[in-house]
Amino acid sequence: NTRMVCSTMLSPMLSLLSALLLLPFQICFAEAFSIEAKWTDLSHQVNAITPARSGHVAFAPLDKPYSPLIFGGYLEEKDDSTGEMTRYAGNDMWKWSGANRGWTKVDYADENVMPQPRLAAAMCLVNDRPVLFGGWDPQTAGTGGVILDKLDEFDTKSDAWNVADAQFTDGPTSRHVALSLPDGTALIHNHRCTDHVLIYSDSGFHKQSTTGQAPSSRGLHAATVAGNNAVIFGGAEQSGTMNNEAFVLDTTTWEWRRIQIKNSECMPCPRAGPCLVSVGENCALLFGGAEATETGLNPRGDLWALRFDPDEGSGRWELLIDDKGGGSSVVEGCPPPRNAATLSEIEHTAEDGEIQTSFVLQGGWHPFVRTYNDCFILSVSLKQ
């Protein structure tokens, strides 16, 4: 499962000639890197989150960046009296307690003060405060539920919730993304953000105008922060059309660039609800999601690396782990294909040009077949 981009080199004769003539000469190399990835199944070794769920959110406290927590989602469990599967939105929270223990349920300080159940929300840090943004509460089946415009804050010291004073200024929002930026603010991107993004700080919301080639209106996309850049991939338009575009937003100039893929013959299929995480400032990993097919939604379990140059606006995809088309196909040692899962960093070291990092995969859904609560660890090594 190793892929390498080879350096571009000048011929030895040309290099020798340049040296002999003592002419000014610049040798440009395409930066070489190699990346290895491996899944480890801990499902039968650690404590699992129950019930199984999808569409939840994940975040990590500022003082414990490798101890992620997850909140809410669409829960699925079997009714012992009827044998049927029931699904409902949740508002519980679980904490990663390490590879020896797994997940531990968080006991809220006050069970009477907590966010209403939801899925398809977003959550990230604003300075040191975890903030929950919007989401969808399906409520009673058949009613359509309610899309939320509320913000809730969680105190990781006291395990207490409180309702923030602010609310979305452009209306209720779900199926959006929220990212913690280096300056302590949060960036929110939803289906309304065609010429701007929303920035949330201690003083509330404001619309930040953007330039360049921005993503079209979409939801169920994935996003991550890489240095001063926000990276967005995929998602679905309100018509249901999915895409496989990748965009990078410079959060210092607020200019969008659509990443031009140099090897467009080898790239992920259009999909919604995947996981996207960064490994360094110029590399992102994509896992899973669901693609639209003639027979319905098909879950994916493939793993890709996107190496990109934010200044040039170009990139290259590398397939690290194939999923044999996804669906019901399961590659030995790998998680079953799914969408609406979370992938959270639990370990990170960087030394001598090598990054080693690990992520925990939680939950997800094989559409209309099964919801997962297994536990897989993704270990990644990147050398450059």
Side-chain angles (χ1 to χ4, degrees):
N1 300 327
T2 305
R3 299 291 186 272
M4 179 176 290
V5 178
C6 297
S7 299
T8 302
M9 301 185 66
L10 297 172
S11 70
M13 183 172 293
L14 182 58
S15 298
L16 177 60
L17 180 61
S18 175
L20 290 174
L21 296 177
L22 299 178
L23 294 175
F25 198 82
Q26 183 177 9
I27 301 176
C28 297
F29 292 90
E31 186 175 9
F33 79 100
S34 64
I35 185 167
E36 298 178 356
K38 178 184 178 181
W39 287 106
T40 302
D41 187 359
L42 298 183
S43 302
H44 301 294
Q45 304 176 36
V46 299
N47 188 46
I49 293 177
T50 54
R53 67 196 60 208
S54 63
H56 50 289
V57 295
F59 70 96
L62 189 65
D63 59 340
K64 296 180 179 180
Y66 306 120
S67 299
L69 297 95
I70 69 103
F71 168 83
Y74 215 14
L75 283 56
E76 181 179 274
E77 60 182 332
K78 188 175 183 178
D79 188 323
D80 292 333
S81 61
T82 64
E84 296 181 352
M85 302 301 294
T86 60
R87 305 186 75 202
Y88 56 93
N91 58 357
D92 55 342
M93 181 177 288
W94 293 74
K95 175 176 65 176
W96 178 251
S97 299
N100 293 324
R101 296 183 59 192
W103 294 96
T104 305
K105 189 173 183 179
V106 175
D107 294 322
Y108 295 148
D110 186 348
E111 294 289 341
N112 295 314
V113 180
M114 68 176 76
Q116 70 190 84
R118 70 192 69 190
L119 64 148
M123 193 167 186
C124 71
L125 299 185
V126 178
N127 290 318
D128 60 346
R129 307 188 318 278
V131 179
L132 176 66
F133 297 91
W136 174 50
D137 180 359
Q139 299 183 331
T140 305
T143 65
V146 58
I147 298 177
L148 306 171
D149 61 2
K150 299 178 181 179
L151 276 64
D152 296 271
E153 297 182 0
F154 184 70
D155 187 329
T156 57
K157 305 294 185 184
S158 64
D159 292 335
W161 285 98
N162 65 82
V163 178
D165 294 332
Q167 63 183 31
F168 276 103
T169 54
D170 61 348
T173 295
S174 69
R175 301 169 178 84
H176 52 299
V177 295
L179 299 171
S180 299
L181 298 183
D183 64 0
T185 63
L187 181 155
I188 294 90
H189 184 275
N190 62 19
H191 65 283
R192 303 184 185 99
C193 294
T194 55
D195 60 357
H196 69 278
V197 292
L198 295 175
I199 301 297
Y200 181 72
S201 65
D202 292 337
S203 57
F205 278 107
H206 79 269
K207 286 186 177 181
Q208 173 62 56
S209 297
T210 58
T211 61
Q213 188 175 5
S216 59
S217 177
R218 67 189 62 196
L220 297 174
H221 45 315
T224 188
V225 171
N228 288 319
N229 296 293
V231 183
I232 283 180
F233 171 84
E237 300 175 1
Q238 288 184 315
S239 64
T241 301
M242 299 181 186
N243 66 72
N244 58 352
E245 301 167 321
F247 295 85
V248 60
L249 174 65
D250 186 327
T251 61
T252 60
T253 65
W254 302 108
E255 180 183 5
W256 282 106
R257 286 179 180 266
R258 179 181 175 183
I259 299 177
Q260 302 299 317
I261 303 302
K262 294 182 177 180
N263 60 332
S264 57
E265 74 283 354
C266 180
M267 60 188 300
C269 65
R271 63 188 70 190
C275 300
L276 188 71
V277 294
S278 60
V279 182
E281 295 189 357
N282 301 95
C283 184
L285 299 180
L286 176 78
F287 168 76
E291 63 178 330
T293 70
E294 293 181 355
T295 58
L297 293 174
N298 181 55
R300 301 305 304 254
D302 45 355
L303 180 70
W304 295 80
L306 173 63
R307 186 71 171 178
F308 62 94
D309 183 335
D311 297 323
E312 186 181 278
S314 64
R316 177 180 293 273
W317 284 104
E318 299 291 335
L319 178 61
L320 301 181
I321 300 178
D322 197 359
D323 66 350
K324 299 180 181 178
S328 298
S329 300
V330 179
V331 177
E332 183 178 359
C334 298
R338 67 193 69 192
N339 73 322
T342 54
L343 194 60
S344 304
E345 193 171 33
I346 56 173
E347 185 179 10
H348 184 100
T349 60
E351 186 176 358
D352 298 330
E354 181 176 0
I355 295 175
Q356 293 188 341
T357 186
S358 298
F359 303 88
V360 59
L361 177 69
Q362 172 54 42
W365 185 49
H366 181 154
F368 309 106
V369 175
R370 181 182 176 184
T371 301
Y372 294 100
N373 69 337
D374 47 13
C375 183
F376 282 82
I377 304 298
L378 176 64
S379 302
V380 178
S381 175
L382 185 148
K383 298 178 182 180
Q384 53 188 4

